[in-house]
Amino acid sequence: MGRRKRAELLDQLRPAFARTGPWLQAGKYVAAVMSDLPKRNGWTIARHVGDRSPDRTQRLLNRAAWDTMAAMSAVRQFAVAGLDQAAARRRGRRPLAVGALDETGQEKAGTATAGVKRQHMGCAGGVENGINTVHLSYVRQGTGHALIGARQWIPREQIDDPVRSLAAGLPLDLEFKTKGQLAIDIITDALADGVVLDFACGDEVYGNCTQLREFLQDAGLAYILRVPSNFRVTLVRQVTRTCAETVRALGSGLRWEVRSAGNGSKGQRWYAWAWAGTASARHHLLIRRHLRTGELACHYCFVPEGQPAGVTRLIRAAGLRWPVEEDFEFGKDDFGLDQSQVRLYLAITRHTVLVMAALAICAVTAAQLKDRTDTQAPPPVRPRQAPPPNPGMIPLTVPEVRRLIAAATTRPWPPGHIEHWSGWTRTHQARSRWFHQRTRLERDHEITLNPLVI
């Protein structure tokens, strides 16, 4: 199925290319980033696809005539349609569709790369020289997720410097935008492509952006955005307080409930939750407390009129922000999202789009095969429960789909070799997951005997 999905997406990408040659080269590029190359750059990709030099790969990213934004739109529509199709097969309650906003970076040396600056880099754990890109991940609850939009953040000083701007290949009409404003552009493109979201989610970078919140409200799109403790909310009788002051003022009046924010690889992710109303009937303050450390996280929520606004639904949506981090992990570890050695603005965007295409192929394949490949034993229900004789296998994951596609398109293996190693790996992971879940039961035994799982 993976190779069929790759051919399907490449067909959808064809209208974005003015000539057949660059389109075929893009297909080779996608295949290369899905391969087992330890490092993905112009030289290694060219060698892998059989080119005699990196010229074609470099031309594809820097000078070839193709519509990069149209290609991103094709990737977006492919990923959303594939994940929606997989979600439609699930029984029971309709899974939520969430757009998760976040940014990720790549360390870069020197000052010549588009967008490079000494800045906080989450991937580096501190302030480093590098570039940052804002992404939107489409998350289908219990089904799968993939990156569907991206905009690179460019610092104002580089845009305003004509020499640096020209050297970095910045568009002449490029304007400085904050990460929140870039998020508006990404969501605008998604809505124009017909993407339907139940909620938009993001961390404090986006929760602090008044312009983004107003845009989402005007578009009638519900949101759950994390905000800092000093974020001010308007309570009853026009009393304005920070989130921290609100929590202290309400004190014992807050009704805390232990609920799961969703199922992770090691079991349910339990937190204590409370919510408070505001002066607006459509806005709420959702507060999450860590069960062991007591650390608080505040989320400012908006639900348009006519949509359900219960705390259960808000918690379900708030728990769906983390998959964008998993998309970054897959994108970097398995597809080389942060391995491009290009410097021009256009080339960085094109590399990002082609990596998003590879990720979308594997994410859709894994989602549509999930029910057929998940044979895990039932999770433990007691802290000292004996392990099952057969742990089964976890469903196919994005990295495993990539490995299977890569193995099927490289050197010939003995009959059954690929299937054997895929089964062995997933069985081992299922066994590890079962023991992780049992360990968590021992650690979380103080949680209420019959908590509500969202």
Side-chain angles (χ1 to χ4, degrees), residues 258 270 290-293 383 439-451:
V258 175
W270 299 105
H290 198 281
L291 292 177
R292 294 196 308 277
T293 66
T439 301
R440 177 159 289 189
L441 280 177
E442 296 174 354
R443 190 181 64 196
D444 295 343
H445 69 278
E446 72 279 2
I447 296 177
T448 52
L449 295 177
N450 189 24

Coordinates of all heavy atoms in Angstrom, one line a residue, residues 258 270 290-293 383 439-451:
V258 N -9.8 14.2 37.9 CA -8.8 13.4 37.3 C -9.3 12.8 36.0 O -10.2 12.0 36.1 CB -8.2 12.4 38.2 CG1 -7.2 11.5 37.5 CG2 -7.6 13.0 39.5
W270 N -2.7 10.8 32.6 CA -3.6 11.3 33.6 C -3.2 12.7 34.1 O -2.0 12.9 34.4 CB -3.7 10.4 34.8 CG -4.2 9.0 34.4 CD1 -3.5 7.8 34.3 CD2 -5.5 8.6 34.2 NE1 -4.3 6.8 34.0 CE2 -5.6 7.2 33.9 CE3 -6.8 9.3 34.1 CZ2 -6.7 6.6 33.6 CZ3 -7.9 8.7 33.8 CH2 -7.9 7.3 33.5
H290 N -0.4 18.8 36.9 CA 0.3 17.5 36.9 C 0.1 16.8 38.2 O 0.2 17.4 39.3 CB 1.8 17.8 36.7 CG 2.6 16.6 36.3 ND1 3.0 15.6 37.2 CD2 3.0 16.2 35.1 CE1 3.7 14.7 36.5 NE2 3.7 15.0 35.2
L291 N -0.2 15.5 38.2 CA -0.6 14.8 39.4 C 0.6 14.6 40.4 O 0.3 14.6 41.6 CB -1.1 13.4 39.0 CG -2.4 13.4 38.2 CD1 -2.8 11.9 37.9 CD2 -3.5 14.0 39.1
R292 N 1.8 14.6 39.9 CA 2.9 14.3 40.8 C 3.6 15.7 41.2 O 3.9 15.9 42.4 CB 4.0 13.4 40.2 CG 3.5 12.0 40.0 CD 4.6 11.0 39.7 NE 5.5 11.5 38.7 CZ 5.3 11.3 37.4 NH1 4.2 10.7 37.0 NH2 6.2 11.8 36.5
T293 N 3.8 16.5 40.3 CA 4.6 17.8 40.6 C 3.7 18.9 41.0 O 4.1 19.9 41.6 CB 5.4 18.2 39.4 OG1 4.5 18.6 38.3 CG2 6.3 17.1 38.9
P383 N -1.6 -4.0 39.0 CA -0.2 -3.7 39.0 C 0.7 -4.9 38.9 O 1.8 -4.8 38.3 CB -0.1 -3.0 40.4 CG -1.4 -2.5 40.7 CD -2.4 -3.4 40.1
T439 N 3.8 -0.9 34.6 CA 4.6 -0.1 35.5 C 3.8 1.2 35.9 O 3.8 1.6 37.0 CB 5.9 0.3 34.9 OG1 6.7 -0.9 34.6 CG2 6.8 1.2 35.8
R440 N 3.2 1.8 34.9 CA 2.4 3.0 35.1 C 1.2 2.7 36.1 O 0.9 3.5 36.9 CB 1.9 3.6 33.8 CG 1.0 4.8 34.0 CD 0.9 5.6 32.8 NE 2.2 6.3 32.5 CZ 2.4 7.3 31.6 NH1 1.3 7.6 30.9 NH2 3.5 7.8 31.5
L441 N 0.6 1.5 36.0 CA -0.5 1.1 36.9 C 0.1 1.1 38.3 O -0.6 1.6 39.3 CB -1.0 -0.3 36.6 CG -2.0 -0.4 35.4 CD1 -2.4 -1.8 35.2 CD2 -3.2 0.4 35.7
E442 N 1.3 0.6 38.5 CA 1.9 0.6 39.9 C 2.1 2.0 40.4 O 1.9 2.3 41.6 CB 3.2 -0.2 39.9 CG 3.0 -1.7 39.5 CD 4.3 -2.4 39.3 OE1 5.4 -1.7 39.4 OE2 4.3 -3.6 39.2
R443 N 2.6 2.9 39.5 CA 2.9 4.2 39.9 C 1.6 5.1 40.1 O 1.6 6.0 41.0 CB 3.8 4.9 38.8 CG 4.4 6.2 39.3 CD 5.2 6.7 38.1 NE 4.4 7.1 37.0 CZ 4.9 7.3 35.8 NH1 6.1 7.2 35.5 NH2 4.1 7.6 34.8
D444 N 0.6 4.8 39.4 CA -0.6 5.6 39.5 C -1.7 5.0 40.2 O -2.9 5.3 40.0 CB -1.1 6.0 38.0 CG -0.1 6.8 37.3 OD1 0.8 7.4 37.9 OD2 -0.2 6.9 36.0
H445 N -1.4 4.1 41.1 CA -2.4 3.4 41.9 C -3.3 4.3 42.7 O -4.4 4.0 43.1 CB -1.8 2.3 42.7 CG -1.0 2.8 43.9 ND1 0.3 3.2 43.7 CD2 -1.4 3.0 45.2 CE1 0.7 3.6 44.9 NE2 -0.2 3.6 45.8
E446 N -2.8 5.5 43.0 CA -3.5 6.4 43.9 C -4.7 7.1 43.1 O -5.5 7.8 43.7 CB -2.6 7.5 44.5 CG -2.1 8.5 43.5 CD -0.9 8.0 42.7 OE1 -0.5 6.9 42.9 OE2 -0.4 8.8 41.9
I447 N -4.7 7.0 41.8 CA -5.7 7.6 41.0 C -7.1 7.0 41.3 O -7.1 5.8 41.7 CB -5.4 7.5 39.5 CG1 -4.1 8.3 39.2 CG2 -6.6 8.0 38.6 CD1 -3.7 8.2 37.8
T448 N -8.1 7.7 41.2 CA -9.4 7.2 41.6 C -9.7 5.8 41.0 O -9.2 5.5 39.9 CB -10.5 8.2 41.1 OG1 -10.3 8.4 39.7 CG2 -10.5 9.5 41.9
L449 N -10.5 5.0 41.7 CA -10.6 3.6 41.2 C -11.3 3.5 39.9 O -11.0 2.6 39.1 CB -11.5 2.9 42.3 CG -10.8 2.7 43.7 CD1 -11.8 2.1 44.6 CD2 -9.5 2.0 43.5
N450 N -12.2 4.4 39.6 CA -12.9 4.3 38.3 C -12.9 5.7 37.6 O -13.9 6.3 37.4 CB -14.3 3.9 38.5 CG -15.0 3.5 37.2 OD1 -14.4 3.2 36.2 ND2 -16.3 3.6 37.2
P451 N -11.7 6.1 37.1 CA -11.7 7.5 36.5 C -12.3 7.5 35.2 O -12.5 6.4 34.5 CB -10.2 7.7 36.4 CG -9.6 6.4 36.3 CD -10.4 5.5 37.1

